Structures are given as structure tokens and as C-alpha cells.
Amino acid sequence: MKVNFDDLTKELKNKNIRLSHQRLKVLEFITNNRIHPTVDQIYSELHKDIPTLSKTTVYNSLNALIDVGLVKVITIEDNETRYDIVTDDHGHFKCESCGKIYDFEINLDSLGSKDLSNFKINNKDVYFKGICPECIKQ
Amino acid sequence: MKVNFDDLTKELKNKNIRLSHQRLKVLEFITNNRIHPTVDQIYSELHKDIPTLSKTTVYNSLNALIDVGLVKVITIEDNETRYDIVTDDHGHFKCESCGKIYDFEINLDSLGSKDLSNFKINNKDVYFKGICPECIKQ
DNA sequence: TAATTAAGTTGTAATCATTACAAGTTAGTA
DNA sequence: TACTAACTTGTAATGATTACAACTTAATTA
């Protein structure tokens, strides 16, 4: 899922979505901090730079970015919504000990099932859980 | 992930968990209605049989059943928690049009990544989204 | 069988994440 | 420069889940 900037601009026009200062900052944070942050993490960090920032704006910005396909939701855990920049295919591994989420390479194209031959698949998510090497050491 | 009843009984003893009437009813409902129900669906249906049932009990029962490994949470959507009986490996497909969740066969054992060679994997979830054949027809 | 005791159920209240809304602000466009 | 639609912000509302305390159930022991 690579981003094409022509398509993106068109998509933004189509949906009458502006890439405002706040939205760009949210996008920048998610892009530069590949930690699959929660809303609170994003808010806390950006609030330092933009003191007037409200949490509602973080929610709005994220939803706008999701609408245009730049960001996606990670629902690996049912009680904490996390966000990730849309990049090439990868799965998510959550360590049940330290809580950290790792990306791992996986070929989603090859992932299918005969049961879905008549289904239109728009999206594939792969979530693993377990213990990460750091936590195994201890 | 087949259920072994000896192990189950031992597990129940270990954790001091009783398979009470309400819990059995919740387990029975999830087993007999493979619709990946929400808490509200379970509550509404069982409430007809058990008028005194409270929603808290449904939550408690589900969490107890999750503890002993009979039930698992499906977090395919970030705003609706669903529950599924633990059976053989399968993925979940959610139709973005009608909202229905389908099971599909998938070999999770063969699903891995070189990036996870030093990780201990306890759990694998595969979530797809798209349009189901019923909705494509329309 | 009766008494004991720990686990389970229930209803209410509290909590927490997310959304709705209205007033003020910003930024494209004529 | 003025207009207009989109955006931001703070507060209030909503809704799902959990905490808690009183009561009930059921397994265990005498």
C-alpha cells in the first residue's frame, strides 16, 4: 500500500479535506515515531509543541487521515486503540509482557483461503501475541 | 486448539473457577450460535431464559471463559468487541456492508515471519475486511 | 444433613474512551 | 478584501466496561 501523492491530492480534493497544521503534525508524529501510538501518546507529545491542541482535534485528525488512507487503526487489543502509518504489508506482534508492538514482514498477497473465493477483500490484518526477545531474557 | 476436558477440569480447579449455570449458558450460546456475538446479543438472548441475568454477569462469565481458554475476543473492529468459541484455526472476515463476520479456513501454523525467530508466539489472529458475496449481488 | 466458606450473581455507581455540538478561527476562492 | 466552508477547541453527552457491596449459590467438612 504505497502512497501516491497525485492520488492523495485528488482524494483530499474529493473529500474536501484540508491537510491542516494540526493534521500534518499528527501525520508527522505517526510517521517519525513508529511506536503505534495511542491517542493519549499523540496528544501528550504534540501538546508540548501546540499548547492549544485539544484531544478532540487529535481524534478528528486521525479520522481524517484514516479517511484518505494514510493512517490505519490497529485493534490488536480490545481496550486500547492504536494507530499506524500505512506502509508496505506487515503484521503486528504485541508482547504480552512489556506491551510493546513490533512490526514484522509478512506477504499478505499470498494470504488467502478457498473459503473466500467469492468475497471482495479490501483489507488484511495479521496480529500475533506472545513474548518478545527482550522479555524472554528476563 | 482443541479442548481437552481433563485439562479443562484441572484448569478450572487451578484457578478456582466454577462453571456455574450462567457461565454454562453463555458458553452454550456462543457454541450453538456461531455469530461472533457482542455482549448485548448474548445478554438479550439469554435474558429471555434467565430473567434475573445481569449484564455484569455476562461480562464476568465471558472473562472467566477467556481465562480458561474456551472463548476468545475478536477485535476486528475497534468499536465493537465480539466473542468467539475457541476451535480449530480460522480467520475472520467482516463484511463492511452488512457487518456480518464470516469464519474462513486458514493454516496458522504455516504463518510466520523471519522477523519473529526469537519471539515466543502464543496467539495468531487474522482479520480480513471487504464485501461478502451476498452484498456483492446487490 | 447441616454448617461453613469461598465463589458467583446482581444492580448501581464510577470510570474511561470516544463522539456530538456550538462558538470561534483559519484558510482557500472570488 | 470579503465570503464561505472547513477546522479547532472546550464542554457536555454517550456508551462500553469495571468496581463495589449485598445477597445467593454451591462445594466441602463435620
Side-chain angles (χ1 to χ4, degrees):
Chain A
M1 299 199 196
K2 295 239 175 60
V3 176
N4 177 314
F5 273 89
D6 285 349
D7 289 353
L8 177 57
T9 311
K10 202 184 293 172
E11 183 79 4
L12 289 171
K13 278 271 180 195
N14 265 340
K15 301 204 174 185
N16 284 324
I17 289 176
R18 292 180 194 158
L19 225 38
S20 67
H21 177 62
Q22 286 86 341
R23 286 178 187 172
L24 274 174
K25 280 296 177 183
V26 169
L27 184 58
E28 183 184 282
F29 181 82
I30 295 187
T31 306
N32 295 340
N33 301 275
R34 305 296 293 276
I35 57 172
H36 318 92
T38 62
V39 167
D40 279 333
Q41 282 179 301
I42 299 168
Y43 173 73
S44 301
E45 284 304 312
L46 294 187
H47 185 74
K48 295 173 187 169
D49 288 344
I50 315 168
T52 61
L53 184 68
S54 93
K55 202 175 277 188
T56 301
T57 297
V58 177
Y59 278 105
N60 289 343
S61 298
L62 286 168
N63 287 330
L65 294 170
I66 289 167
D67 269 357
V68 295
L70 287 175
V71 168
K72 67 178 298 184
V73 176
I74 301 178
T75 57
I76 196 168
E77 205 71 66
D78 66 329
N79 55 352
E80 56 170 27
T81 305
R82 291 171 170 274
Y83 298 86
D84 193 13
I85 191 80
V86 168
T87 58
D88 292 334
D89 291 350
H90 62 275
H92 292 110
F93 176 98
K94 173 164 180 172
C95 176
E96 292 166 326
S97 174
C98 67
K100 190 173 166 187
I101 293 178
Y102 296 80
D103 291 338
F104 61 86
E105 197 182 289
I106 190 166
N107 183 359
L108 295 180
D109 289 337
S110 68
L111 202 61
S113 170
K114 62 177 166 48
D115 297 341
L116 298 177
S117 51
N118 294 315
F119 288 65
K120 179 173 184 298
I121 300 171
N122 293 332
N123 187 268
K124 297 178 180 181
D125 282 309
V126 176
Y127 298 138
F128 287 6
K129 286 182 202 165
I131 311 292
C132 74
E134 301 302 314
C135 291
I136 290 175
K137 279 182 198 161
Q138 283 139 39
Chain B
M1 299 197 198
K2 295 240 175 59
V3 176
N4 177 315
F5 273 88
D6 285 349
D7 288 354
L8 178 57
T9 311
K10 203 185 293 174
E11 184 79 4
L12 290 170
K13 279 272 180 192
N14 264 339
K15 300 204 172 185
N16 285 322
I17 289 176
R18 291 181 196 158
L19 225 38
S20 66
H21 178 63
Q22 285 87 341
R23 286 179 187 170
L24 274 174
K25 282 295 178 184
V26 169
L27 184 58
E28 182 184 282
F29 181 81
I30 296 187
T31 306
N32 294 340
N33 302 274
R34 307 294 295 275
I35 57 172
H36 317 91
T38 62
V39 165
D40 279 332
Q41 281 178 301
I42 299 169
Y43 173 74
S44 301
E45 284 305 311
L46 295 186
H47 186 73
K48 295 172 186 168
D49 288 344
I50 314 169
T52 61
L53 184 68
S54 93
K55 201 176 278 187
T56 301
T57 297
V58 177
Y59 278 105
N60 289 342
S61 299
L62 286 169
N63 288 331
L65 294 170
I66 289 167
D67 269 357
V68 295
L70 286 175
V71 167
K72 67 178 299 184
V73 175
I74 300 177
T75 57
I76 196 168
E77 205 70 67
D78 66 329
N79 54 354
E80 55 170 28
T81 305
R82 290 170 170 275
Y83 298 86
D84 193 13
I85 191 81
V86 168
T87 58
D88 290 336
D89 291 351
H90 63 277
H92 292 109
F93 177 98
K94 174 165 181 171
C95 177
E96 292 166 326
S97 174
C98 66
K100 190 173 165 188
I101 293 178
Y102 296 79
D103 290 338
F104 61 85
E105 197 182 290
I106 190 167
N107 182 0
L108 295 181
D109 288 337
S110 68
L111 202 61
S113 170
K114 61 178 166 51
D115 297 341
L116 298 177
S117 50
N118 294 315
F119 288 65
K120 179 174 185 296
I121 301 171
N122 293 331
N123 187 268
K124 298 178 179 182
D125 282 310
V126 176
Y127 299 137
F128 288 4
K129 285 183 202 166
I131 311 293
C132 75
E134 300 303 314
C135 291
I136 290 174
K137 279 182 197 159
Q138 283 139 40

